[in-house]
Amino acid sequence: MKFIGQQRFGGPEVLETVQGARPVPGSGEVLLRLGAAAVNPVDCKLRAGRVRFLGDPPFTLGFDISGTVVETGTGVTGMHPGDNVFGMVHSRTGTYSEFVIARANALAPRPSGVDHVTAAALPTAALTAWQALDAADPRPGETVLVHAAAGGVGHFAVQFAERRGARVIGTARTANHRFVRGLGAAEVLDYTATDFAEAIDRVDVVLDLVGGEYGKRSLQLLDDNGRYITVQDSDATGDPRFRMVTGRPSAATLTEIGAAVARGQVRVHVDRVLPMDEVQEAHRLSESGRVRGKLVLTPWGA
Ligand SMILES: NC(=O)c1ccc[n+]([C@@H]2O[C@H](COP(=O)([O-])OP(=O)(O)OC[C@H]3O[C@@H](n4cnc5c(N)ncnc54)[C@H](OP(=O)(O)O)[C@@H]3O)[C@@H](O)[C@H]2O)c1
């Protein structure tokens, strides 16, 4: 089978297609044939060695997959060859691969009417947005500020917050304002033209998908009951309103999100679909910081 490997940390050029043996699923695991895999910013950070939780290369990147069950390992019940599933994989063998090993209990059934590309775009971004909002727990009528509202996580966070009855303000460049309003934001600020900390009076929740020096400036917008939720390191660390969220696999939540997508209640915006042969270009696009919604990879020659 083909997969994307890397022998060293580095730029997109270290990513190469290699051949290897098809893996065999262990206990509680399934082997999936790749339908599509999403690119997440963390893939680029891991590739470059800026974060190292996968250890040293060689490894294969990718956390998100939509695929078809080919084989089940021992102890897997309720999942059979031919089933279409999607979910999150946390391993050194990744999802940038023709065949992927996944924990069966992290996978959700792919609803009919939701294609591989759409399903693959969901796991990390949508689960992170969902879990960040769970942590913030905005009540109807509260105001939620979403930084980087046009990105993978942000475009889901805007929709989920609006569905919870919150009033949403997003930050994005002017070119993305129509897009973010179309997702349900009441207001969008161009962070390149306006200082959000001065333009906004007060909000109940900040969902910070940018981090860094956005932290303390965001805290200025909250009163003592406000919640600052980030998925990135930021200078707000230590404040009692600070909370860091890491996206975790959840088959139950993915099933719920998948159903909402199938009903047309949640929009999945895929900016570009590239074949796996163009993975280097996909990483360059991701690192531009300008992707609207998600980038998705399809199998070689698909
Ligand atoms: N801890 C976790 O579990 C976890 C999970 C998922 C993501 N993350 C992290 O969260 C961050 C966002 O992830 P993502 O997948 O949403 O990224 P992404 O899709 O690559 O985000 C791209 C978007 O960011 C916007 N953007 C860039 N700089 C901005 C700024 N200064 N202010 C406002 N918007 C800005 C851009 O919109 P404009 O073109 O309009 O600027 C673009 O649409 C990444 O750093 C990622 O690693 C962490």
Side-chain angles (χ1 to χ4, degrees), residues 18-288:
V18 278
Q19 292 278 353
R22 192 196 279 202
V24 176
S27 174
E29 296 177 339
V30 295
L31 180 70
L32 303 176
R33 180 189 292 277
L34 183 73
V39 175
N40 289 291
V42 70
D43 300 354
C44 301
K45 297 173 192 173
L46 285 161
R47 185 209 71 225
R50 290 198 296 274
V51 295
R52 300 206 171 194
F53 61 79
L54 287 184
D56 290 332
F59 51 65
T60 295
L61 297 169
F63 292 97
D64 296 335
I65 181 167
S66 174
T68 306
V69 176
V70 175
E71 200 180 329
T72 58
T74 55
V76 174
T77 53
M79 210 168 273
H80 306 283
D83 287 355
N84 285 311
V85 294
F86 70 111
M88 211 195 247
V89 170
H90 273 190
S91 76
R92 282 171 54 85
T93 52
T95 60
Y96 294 8
S97 182
E98 265 185 304
F99 291 92
V100 170
I101 295 285
R103 303 287 316 163
N105 62 10
L107 300 172
R110 176 166 63 88
S112 58
V114 176
D115 61 19
H116 277 308
V117 167
T118 303
L122 287 168
T124 296
L127 284 172
T128 303
W130 188 281
Q131 291 160 1
L133 280 162
D134 272 350
D137 195 19
R139 282 170 290 283
E142 286 196 320
T143 301
V144 176
L145 170 63
V146 179
H147 286 308
V153 180
H155 92 295
F156 289 123
V158 170
Q159 297 180 75
F160 297 162
E162 200 265 346
R163 276 166 59 86
R164 283 172 177 249
R167 180 174 182 278
V168 181
I169 305 176
T171 57
R173 284 174 309 131
T174 299
N176 280 325
H177 284 201
R178 229 176 120 183
F179 171 65
V180 176
R181 280 184 196 280
L183 301 168
E187 210 178 308
V188 194
L189 282 182
D190 185 343
Y191 63 92
T192 64
T194 317
D195 180 345
F196 70 85
E198 285 179 7
I200 301 170
D201 197 20
R202 197 195 71 87
V203 298
D204 301 288
V205 170
V206 177
L207 226 151
D208 185 2
L209 307 173
V210 176
E213 52 88 34
Y214 269 43
K216 282 192 176 140
R217 288 167 62 214
S218 296
L219 290 178
Q220 295 170 23
L221 306 175
L222 299 174
D223 65 21
D224 289 350
N225 299 318
R227 288 85 82 199
Y228 169 86
I229 313 293
T230 185
V231 298
Q232 296 264 73
D233 287 334
S234 94
D235 64 4
T237 318
D239 187 276
R241 295 161 295 181
F242 173 98
R243 181 124 172 238
M244 171 86 95
V245 165
T246 303
R248 299 175 313 279
S250 168
T253 304
L254 271 188
T255 302
E256 197 173 334
I257 295 171
V261 171
R263 287 194 297 265
Q265 293 168 336
V266 170
R267 243 173 86 189
V268 181
H269 184 86
V270 177
D271 192 334
R272 288 277 298 275
V273 181
L274 296 100
M276 207 53 94
D277 315 82
E278 294 179 32
V279 65
Q280 295 184 0
E281 175 62 8
H283 273 225
R284 284 184 201 104
L285 288 168
S286 178
E287 287 180 316
S288 75

